[in-house]
Amino acid sequence: METSVPGGLRIGALSKRAGVSEHVLRAWESRYGLLSPTRSSGGFRLYSDTDVRRVQRMRAYLAEGLSAAEAARAVLAEPAAAAPPDPVVVRMAEANGAASLRAALDLLDERAAHVVLDQLFGALTIEAVIRDVLMPYLYELGDRWSRGEVTVGQEHFASNVIRSRLAALSPGWGGGRGPQVLLACPPGELHDIALLSFGLVLRRSGWRVIFLGADSPTSDIQRTADALGADLVMLAASDASRFDAIRPELVRIAQGRPVALAGPGASAELAAAVGAQYVDDDPVTAAERLEERR
Protein backbone atom coordinates (compact mmCIF):
# COMPACT_ATOMS: atom_id res chain seq x y z
CA MET A 1 0.00 0.00 0.00
CA GLU A 2 1.27 3.48 -0.91
CA THR A 3 2.03 5.53 2.15
CA SER A 4 4.37 8.11 3.60
CA VAL A 5 7.79 6.92 4.72
CA PRO A 6 10.78 8.57 6.40
CA GLY A 7 12.31 10.97 3.92
CA GLY A 8 9.26 11.55 1.79
CA LEU A 9 5.86 10.49 0.47
CA ARG A 10 5.09 7.63 -1.87
CA ILE A 11 2.96 8.73 -4.79
CA GLY A 12 -0.24 7.34 -3.27
CA ALA A 13 0.22 9.45 -0.15
CA LEU A 14 1.00 12.49 -2.29
CA SER A 15 -2.18 11.84 -4.27
CA LYS A 16 -4.32 11.72 -1.13
CA ARG A 17 -2.74 14.79 0.44
CA ALA A 18 -2.89 16.93 -2.70
CA GLY A 19 -6.22 15.67 -4.05
CA VAL A 20 -4.89 14.73 -7.50
CA SER A 21 -4.92 11.26 -9.04
CA GLU A 22 -1.68 9.29 -9.37
CA HIS A 23 -2.11 9.21 -13.16
CA VAL A 24 -2.26 13.01 -13.35
CA LEU A 25 0.68 13.40 -10.97
CA ARG A 26 2.83 11.16 -13.15
CA ALA A 27 1.80 13.12 -16.24
CA TRP A 28 2.69 16.44 -14.61
CA GLU A 29 6.05 15.03 -13.55
CA SER A 30 6.99 13.57 -16.94
CA ARG A 31 5.57 16.31 -19.19
CA TYR A 32 6.36 19.45 -17.25
CA GLY A 33 8.98 18.49 -14.66
CA LEU A 34 6.63 19.75 -11.94
CA LEU A 35 7.81 17.25 -9.30
CA SER A 36 11.32 16.40 -8.14
CA PRO A 37 11.22 13.05 -6.33
CA THR A 38 14.17 11.33 -4.75
CA ARG A 39 14.69 7.58 -4.65
CA SER A 40 14.39 5.34 -1.62
CA SER A 41 16.87 2.52 -1.02
CA GLY A 42 14.26 0.22 -2.53
CA GLY A 43 13.97 2.31 -5.67
CA PHE A 44 10.64 3.99 -4.87
CA ARG A 45 10.05 7.63 -5.80
CA LEU A 46 9.69 9.78 -2.68
CA TYR A 47 8.03 13.20 -2.83
CA SER A 48 8.66 16.15 -0.52
CA ASP A 49 6.57 18.91 1.02
CA THR A 50 7.80 21.10 -1.84
CA ASP A 51 6.15 18.70 -4.29
CA VAL A 52 2.92 18.87 -2.28
CA ARG A 53 3.02 22.67 -2.44
CA ARG A 54 3.68 22.61 -6.18
CA VAL A 55 0.69 20.36 -6.82
CA GLN A 56 -1.53 22.61 -4.71
CA ARG A 57 -0.33 25.68 -6.59
CA MET A 58 -0.85 23.86 -9.89
CA ARG A 59 -4.47 23.21 -8.92
CA ALA A 60 -4.96 26.86 -8.02
CA TYR A 61 -3.62 28.05 -11.39
CA LEU A 62 -5.77 25.54 -13.25
CA ALA A 63 -8.83 26.79 -11.36
CA GLU A 64 -8.01 30.30 -12.58
CA GLY A 65 -8.26 29.10 -16.19
CA LEU A 66 -4.63 28.49 -17.17
CA SER A 67 -3.74 25.51 -19.33
CA ALA A 68 -1.74 22.73 -17.72
CA ALA A 69 1.45 23.85 -19.46
CA GLU A 70 0.93 27.48 -18.46
CA ALA A 71 0.12 26.50 -14.88
CA ALA A 72 3.24 24.35 -14.60
CA ARG A 73 5.45 27.15 -15.93
CA ALA A 74 3.90 29.56 -13.42
CA VAL A 75 4.49 27.17 -10.53
CA LEU A 76 8.09 26.48 -11.49
CA ALA A 77 8.74 30.22 -11.85
CA GLU A 78 7.68 30.87 -8.26
CA PRO A 79 10.47 31.41 -5.73
CA ALA A 80 11.36 28.42 -3.61
CA ALA A 81 9.38 28.24 -0.41
CA ALA A 82 11.19 29.43 2.66
CA ALA A 83 11.83 27.08 5.55
CA PRO A 84 8.81 26.60 7.80
CA PRO A 85 8.66 29.32 10.44
CA ASP A 86 9.59 28.49 14.02
CA PRO A 87 6.32 27.74 15.89
CA VAL A 88 7.50 29.80 18.86
CA VAL A 89 8.13 32.79 16.59
CA VAL A 90 4.70 32.34 15.04
CA ARG A 91 2.98 32.28 18.43
CA MET A 92 4.86 35.39 19.51
CA ALA A 93 3.89 37.20 16.31
CA GLU A 94 0.25 36.24 16.82
CA ALA A 95 0.22 37.31 20.48
CA ASN A 96 2.04 40.60 19.93
CA GLY A 97 0.01 41.37 16.82
CA ALA A 98 -3.30 40.68 18.56
CA ALA A 99 -2.40 42.95 21.49
CA SER A 100 -1.20 45.75 19.19
CA LEU A 101 -4.27 45.45 16.98
CA ARG A 102 -6.60 45.64 19.96
CA ALA A 103 -4.84 48.75 21.29
CA ALA A 104 -4.97 50.54 17.92
CA LEU A 105 -8.62 49.74 17.28
CA ASP A 106 -9.67 50.70 20.82
CA LEU A 107 -8.10 54.11 20.17
CA LEU A 108 -9.87 54.39 16.78
CA ASP A 109 -6.43 54.70 15.17
CA GLU A 110 -6.98 53.34 11.68
CA ARG A 111 -3.46 54.05 10.47
CA ALA A 112 -1.87 52.18 13.38
CA ALA A 113 -4.29 49.28 12.89
CA HIS A 114 -3.28 48.93 9.24
CA VAL A 115 0.40 49.02 10.19
CA VAL A 116 -0.21 46.11 12.57
CA LEU A 117 -2.18 44.24 9.91
CA ASP A 118 0.64 44.82 7.41
CA GLN A 119 3.07 43.26 9.87
CA LEU A 120 0.79 40.31 10.55
CA PHE A 121 0.18 39.53 6.89
CA GLY A 122 3.91 39.85 6.25
CA ALA A 123 4.85 37.41 9.03
CA LEU A 124 2.00 34.89 8.82
CA THR A 125 -0.18 33.27 6.19
CA ILE A 126 -3.57 34.78 5.45
CA GLU A 127 -5.17 31.70 6.99
CA ALA A 128 -3.17 32.08 10.21
CA VAL A 129 -3.97 35.78 10.52
CA ILE A 130 -7.70 35.13 10.11
CA ARG A 131 -7.96 32.01 12.29
CA ASP A 132 -5.48 32.85 15.05
CA VAL A 133 -5.71 36.63 15.31
CA LEU A 134 -8.75 38.21 13.68
CA MET A 135 -11.45 35.71 14.62
CA PRO A 136 -10.40 35.49 18.31
CA TYR A 137 -10.18 39.29 18.42
CA LEU A 138 -13.70 39.69 17.00
CA TYR A 139 -15.16 37.14 19.43
CA GLU A 140 -13.49 38.96 22.31
CA LEU A 141 -14.71 42.30 20.97
CA GLY A 142 -18.28 41.02 21.00
CA ASP A 143 -17.89 39.87 24.60
CA ARG A 144 -16.39 43.19 25.64
CA TRP A 145 -19.25 45.04 23.95
CA SER A 146 -21.83 42.91 25.76
CA ARG A 147 -20.14 43.78 29.08
CA GLY A 148 -20.12 47.48 28.25
CA GLU A 149 -16.33 47.68 28.04
CA VAL A 150 -16.34 49.12 24.50
CA THR A 151 -18.81 51.44 22.83
CA VAL A 152 -20.97 50.71 19.82
CA GLY A 153 -18.80 53.17 17.91
CA GLN A 154 -15.62 51.31 18.80
CA GLU A 155 -17.18 47.98 17.81
CA HIS A 156 -18.38 49.34 14.47
CA PHE A 157 -15.04 51.02 13.78
CA ALA A 158 -13.02 47.87 14.48
CA SER A 159 -15.34 45.66 12.43
CA ASN A 160 -15.25 48.03 9.47
CA VAL A 161 -11.44 48.25 9.47
CA ILE A 162 -11.08 44.47 9.52
CA ARG A 163 -13.83 43.92 6.99
CA SER A 164 -12.35 46.45 4.54
CA ARG A 165 -8.93 44.83 4.84
CA LEU A 166 -10.26 41.36 4.11
CA ALA A 167 -12.40 42.63 1.24
CA ALA A 168 -9.29 44.16 -0.34
CA LEU A 169 -7.75 40.67 -0.47
CA SER A 170 -10.60 39.21 -2.51
CA PRO A 171 -10.81 40.72 -6.00
CA GLY A 172 -11.96 38.55 -8.88
CA TRP A 173 -13.84 36.09 -6.69
CA GLY A 174 -15.96 34.78 -9.53
CA GLY A 175 -13.05 33.85 -11.81
CA GLY A 176 -11.57 30.43 -12.36
CA ARG A 177 -13.09 27.05 -13.04
CA GLY A 178 -13.49 25.51 -9.59
CA PRO A 179 -16.77 24.76 -7.82
CA GLN A 180 -19.06 27.72 -7.22
CA VAL A 181 -20.23 28.71 -3.75
CA LEU A 182 -22.79 31.38 -2.90
CA LEU A 183 -22.26 33.11 0.44
CA ALA A 184 -24.96 35.16 2.16
CA CYS A 185 -26.38 36.20 5.51
CA PRO A 186 -30.16 35.86 6.01
CA PRO A 187 -32.42 38.90 6.33
CA GLY A 188 -31.56 41.08 9.30
CA GLU A 189 -28.11 39.57 9.83
CA LEU A 190 -25.42 42.26 9.56
CA HIS A 191 -22.32 40.35 10.69
CA ASP A 192 -20.60 38.94 7.61
CA ILE A 193 -16.87 39.03 8.41
CA ALA A 194 -16.70 35.32 9.19
CA LEU A 195 -18.48 34.56 5.92
CA LEU A 196 -16.09 36.89 4.07
CA SER A 197 -13.16 35.03 5.64
CA PHE A 198 -14.60 31.67 4.62
CA GLY A 199 -14.93 32.85 1.02
CA LEU A 200 -11.42 34.26 0.96
CA VAL A 201 -9.88 30.95 2.01
CA LEU A 202 -12.00 29.00 -0.49
CA ARG A 203 -11.04 31.36 -3.31
CA ARG A 204 -7.37 30.74 -2.56
CA SER A 205 -8.11 27.06 -3.20
CA GLY A 206 -9.64 27.75 -6.61
CA TRP A 207 -13.33 28.02 -5.74
CA ARG A 208 -15.50 30.60 -7.47
CA VAL A 209 -17.23 32.79 -4.91
CA ILE A 210 -20.53 34.67 -5.22
CA PHE A 211 -20.67 36.95 -2.19
CA LEU A 212 -24.05 38.50 -1.40
CA GLY A 213 -23.05 39.42 2.14
CA ALA A 214 -25.16 40.85 4.94
CA ASP A 215 -28.96 41.09 5.12
CA SER A 216 -29.72 39.19 1.91
CA PRO A 217 -33.37 38.50 1.02
CA THR A 218 -34.00 34.78 0.72
CA SER A 219 -35.70 35.30 -2.64
CA ASP A 220 -32.49 36.83 -3.98
CA ILE A 221 -30.41 34.00 -2.51
CA GLN A 222 -32.50 31.35 -4.24
CA ARG A 223 -32.81 33.30 -7.49
CA THR A 224 -29.06 33.85 -7.70
CA ALA A 225 -28.23 30.25 -6.80
CA ASP A 226 -30.61 28.97 -9.45
CA ALA A 227 -29.47 31.40 -12.13
CA LEU A 228 -25.78 30.67 -11.64
CA GLY A 229 -26.08 27.00 -10.73
CA ALA A 230 -24.19 27.32 -7.47
CA ASP A 231 -22.66 24.07 -6.22
CA LEU A 232 -23.13 25.12 -2.60
CA VAL A 233 -25.05 27.79 -0.69
CA MET A 234 -23.46 28.79 2.62
CA LEU A 235 -25.56 30.90 5.00
CA ALA A 236 -24.27 32.36 8.25
CA ALA A 237 -26.00 34.11 11.14
CA SER A 238 -25.00 35.19 14.63
CA ASP A 239 -28.54 34.82 16.03
CA ALA A 240 -30.78 31.76 15.77
CA SER A 241 -33.82 33.99 15.24
CA ARG A 242 -32.49 34.94 11.79
CA PHE A 243 -32.70 31.33 10.65
CA ASP A 244 -35.91 30.54 12.54
CA ALA A 245 -37.68 33.34 10.67
CA ILE A 246 -36.93 31.76 7.28
CA ARG A 247 -37.23 28.01 7.93
CA PRO A 248 -39.65 27.38 5.03
CA GLU A 249 -37.36 29.27 2.64
CA LEU A 250 -34.35 27.30 3.84
CA VAL A 251 -36.18 24.06 3.06
CA ARG A 252 -36.93 25.27 -0.47
CA ILE A 253 -33.35 26.36 -1.12
CA ALA A 254 -32.00 23.04 0.20
CA GLN A 255 -34.28 21.09 -2.11
CA GLY A 256 -32.42 22.45 -5.13
CA ARG A 257 -28.77 22.16 -4.06
CA PRO A 258 -26.48 21.57 -1.08
CA VAL A 259 -26.90 24.15 1.69
CA ALA A 260 -24.68 24.71 4.72
CA LEU A 261 -25.54 26.71 7.84
CA ALA A 262 -22.84 28.33 9.97
CA GLY A 263 -22.32 30.83 12.76
CA PRO A 264 -23.62 30.97 16.35
CA GLY A 265 -27.17 31.13 15.02
CA ALA A 266 -26.89 27.71 13.36
CA SER A 267 -27.27 24.32 15.03
CA ALA A 268 -27.19 20.67 14.10
CA GLU A 269 -30.89 20.38 14.91
CA LEU A 270 -31.85 23.26 12.64
CA ALA A 271 -29.69 21.99 9.79
CA ALA A 272 -31.21 18.51 10.02
CA ALA A 273 -34.74 19.97 10.10
CA VAL A 274 -34.30 21.94 6.86
CA GLY A 275 -32.11 19.45 4.99
CA ALA A 276 -28.84 21.36 5.30
CA GLN A 277 -25.35 20.66 6.58
CA TYR A 278 -24.26 22.13 9.91
CA VAL A 279 -20.82 23.78 10.02
CA ASP A 280 -19.45 24.48 13.48
CA ASP A 281 -15.77 25.09 12.65
CA ASP A 282 -14.06 28.46 12.45
CA PRO A 283 -14.17 29.95 8.91
CA VAL A 284 -10.65 28.90 7.94
CA THR A 285 -10.97 25.32 9.18
CA ALA A 286 -14.42 25.01 7.58
CA ALA A 287 -13.07 26.14 4.22
CA GLU A 288 -10.04 23.85 4.45
CA ARG A 289 -12.19 20.83 5.30
CA LEU A 290 -14.58 21.59 2.45
CA GLU A 291 -11.64 21.76 0.04
CA GLU A 292 -10.23 18.49 1.42
CA ARG A 293 -13.54 16.74 0.78
CA ARG A 294 -13.52 18.06 -2.78
Side-chain angles (χ1 to χ4, degrees), residues 107-126:
L107 294 173
L108 308 183
D109 190 337
E110 182 175 2
R111 182 179 179 278
H114 280 297
V115 168
V116 175
L117 289 169
D118 286 340
Q119 294 169 344
L120 284 168
F121 283 119
L124 307 170
T125 65
I126 289 176

Side-chain angles (χ1 to χ4, degrees), residues 75-209:
V75 172
L76 294 172
E78 293 179 345
D86 187 321
V88 175
V89 174
V90 170
R91 288 196 295 271
M92 290 179 61
E94 292 169 352
N96 294 337
S100 299
L101 183 64
R102 171 176 169 164
L105 292 173
D106 280 358
L107 294 173
L108 308 183
D109 190 337
E110 182 175 2
R111 182 179 179 278
H114 280 297
V115 168
V116 175
L117 289 169
D118 286 340
Q119 294 169 344
L120 284 168
F121 283 119
L124 307 170
T125 65
I126 289 176
E127 290 80 3
V129 174
I130 293 173
R131 177 167 47 205
D132 302 324
V133 179
L134 298 185
M135 289 297 111
Y137 167 78
L138 289 168
Y139 293 143
E140 180 196 29
L141 180 66
D143 289 340
R144 292 167 65 207
W145 173 82
S146 67
R147 295 193 299 266
E149 297 174 5
V150 295
T151 66
V152 172
Q154 286 174 307
E155 191 273 338
H156 286 185
F157 175 84
S159 296
N160 287 332
V161 169
I162 291 172
R163 189 187 189 285
S164 66
R165 188 58 180 259
L166 292 177
L169 296 173
S170 54
W173 273 22
R177 297 181 180 178
Q180 190 175 64
V181 58
L182 186 152
L183 307 179
C185 295
E189 178 59 54
L190 302 178
H191 298 88
D192 65 355
I193 293 179
L195 198 64
L196 182 65
S197 301
F198 175 79
L200 181 59
V201 177
L202 274 188
R203 182 66 189 95
R204 284 167 56 81
S205 297
W207 286 65
R208 293 172 292 153
V209 179

